Amino acid sequence: LMPLSRALRGAASTLAGPQTYQGPPDSGIAVAQQRLFKVTGMHSAAIAPIRGPRAVLGALTLGRNAESGVMTDAELSLLEDIARRAGLALENARLYQRQRHIAETMQRHLLPQLPEVPGLTMAARYVPASQSAQVGGDWYDAFTLADGATAVAIGDVVGHNIDAAAGMAQIRNMLRAYAWALEEPPSAIVERLDQAVVNVAEASMATMIFGRVERDAEGWALRWTNAGHPPPLLITRDGRSAFLDEEHDHLLGTGLVRSRTDTRTPLPPLSTLVLYTDGLIESPGHILDRGMARLRQHAAALAHRPLHVFCDLLLERARPAENDDDVALLVLRTPAGEGESAGR
């Protein structure tokens, strides 16, 4: 076998000269190597395999022209060391990509399918961080309760790694259990959840909004509580927008024993409610008010778009380009009132 063919099979490193590729090539890769010698004017070369823990990943060729002299055994030894380090780097990169893919897939499977609620339209998005661990503690949830109301939640567990994603899953599952089993207002359910986070769950701290979307004689409304999370944004059909920031209680997991509050917010016909995590509004070096103003501006401009288009364009326009954080987004829209058209 020729030197490159031997290297790709994991054999020892080899020195090659002009005469090495004078004979007929033993493989297609040897044809390419022969052409490389001719095109570059290479006179001698050192060829070393790039090995991973389980397989040969490639080969490294270092050549010299005739004026530079012939490759020596010392230079071959140096090339072997470079190839060994390259193999380790490539294998680490491969393992990192695999772990990242597994973590992101795990989180996407943990995020729920949205329920079908007569009259309501819902859409959600999860966008992983672009550069870091690709997985974190941001999450959303929506499910139908025993009494027919629709539970909605958005949250963010501290951290940006698999531990944060695992903590997120625990909090979401415990919230579902409490919300389904207990006929209590959102504040009481979140108080119970907070006790579980402190004493049972592996998550450290978390922010969350939890609420019930209900319909009564007065129309649609959101009865909700806020555990230290960025405020919801409500946009009416005429494009007016407001952050629902009148209530803001402490985070989950702090250990504070303090009662939480509930707020009832009417949801007018064809209004859009936006629940989001801080990755949609935060950017390094800028105050939070700037991100919130940008979110409000773009959401109001998109108030008449279909919800799936609304979500995609809002993420594209409102999310700061320099922010490397994951984002969870949950949006719902109420139906038109009696005698009204959804196109108005």
Side-chain angles (χ1 to χ4, degrees):
L1 292 177
M2 292 185 172
L4 183 56
S5 300
R6 290 200 301 271
L8 291 174
R9 295 193 178 194
S13 304
T14 311
L15 292 173
Q19 70 285 354
T20 305
Y21 290 99
Q22 293 302 314
D26 58 358
S27 64
I29 194 72
V31 173
Q33 186 82 330
Q34 188 179 49
R35 187 179 301 115
L36 179 67
F37 266 69
K38 292 179 179 178
V39 171
T40 62
M42 197 182 301
H43 183 265
S44 65
I47 302 172
I50 300 175
R51 296 186 179 92
R54 290 174 294 276
V56 176
L57 305 177
L60 183 62
T61 299
L62 181 64
R64 279 183 169 176
N65 58 24
E67 291 76 17
S68 301
V70 178
M71 284 283 186
T72 65
D73 289 337
E75 289 167 329
L76 180 61
S77 177
L78 175 61
L79 185 66
E80 287 177 337
D81 185 58
I82 294 173
R84 180 183 61 82
R85 293 172 185 267
L88 290 174
L90 288 171
E91 180 66 14
N92 287 339
R94 188 188 68 82
L95 290 175
Y96 173 77
Q97 291 287 346
R98 182 171 179 268
Q99 182 186 37
R100 185 174 64 181
H101 175 72
I102 291 172
E104 184 180 342
T105 301
M106 178 189 76
Q107 184 163 36
R108 289 190 183 279
H109 282 293
L110 288 172
L111 296 173
Q113 295 292 321
L114 299 180
E116 293 186 6
V117 181
L120 284 181
T121 308
M122 287 189 283
R125 297 289 186 272
Y126 172 75
V127 180
S130 59
Q131 298 294 332
S132 55
Q134 292 280 345
V135 66
D138 289 29
W139 60 281
Y140 62 84
D141 202 358
F143 52 97
T144 303
L145 295 169
D147 62 3
T150 301
V152 293
I154 194 89
D156 187 357
V157 175
V158 173
H160 297 91
N161 50 35
I162 295 178
D163 291 337
M168 172 271 289
Q170 287 184 316
I171 289 176
R172 197 204 73 169
N173 291 337
M174 288 190 295
L175 173 66
R176 282 199 164 207
Y178 285 137
W180 177 262
L182 305 175
E183 294 183 1
E184 296 181 351
S187 61
I189 292 172
V190 173
E191 285 177 8
R192 290 176 179 266
L193 179 63
D194 193 7
Q195 295 172 13
V197 171
V198 172
N199 297 294
V200 178
E202 297 176 5
S204 52
M205 290 191 294
T207 67
M208 187 181 69
I209 288 173
F210 173 63
R212 294 166 47 95
V213 180
E214 309 165 331
R215 187 178 185 183
D216 54 27
E218 299 179 18
W220 292 89
L222 173 70
R223 191 179 303 276
W224 59 288
T225 189
N226 187 344
H229 198 80
L233 176 64
L234 181 64
I235 309 111
T236 59
R237 59 181 169 180
D238 58 3
R240 289 181 295 174
S241 60
F243 285 105
L244 309 180
D245 53 6
E246 57 267 29
E247 298 294 346
H248 199 285
D249 294 322
H250 55 286
L251 284 69
L252 301 178
T254 63
L256 294 175
V257 180
R258 186 187 304 164
S259 61
R260 297 179 181 272
T261 56
D262 288 289
T263 301
R264 183 186 184 279
T265 302
L267 301 176
L270 296 176
S271 60
T272 304
L273 180 69
V274 182
L275 304 175
Y276 56 94
T277 56
D278 57 10
L280 189 60
I281 56 175
E282 287 187 347
S283 58
H286 298 292
I287 60 174
L288 196 58
D289 288 349
R290 176 178 175 179
M292 295 179 69
R294 183 174 55 246
L295 170 61
R296 183 174 179 177
Q297 173 190 354
H298 290 300
L302 297 168
H304 294 284
R305 297 294 188 97
L307 274 198
H308 288 287
V309 177
F310 178 96
C311 289
D312 292 337
L313 292 178
L314 190 64
L315 285 168
E316 177 184 320
R317 298 175 183 180
R319 187 188 188 196
E322 65 274 20
N323 188 16
D324 184 28
D325 196 2
D326 44 349
V327 178
L329 178 66
L330 176 62
V331 181
L332 63 89
R333 182 171 292 160
T334 54
E338 294 185 7
E340 295 178 321
S341 169
R344 290 178 58 186

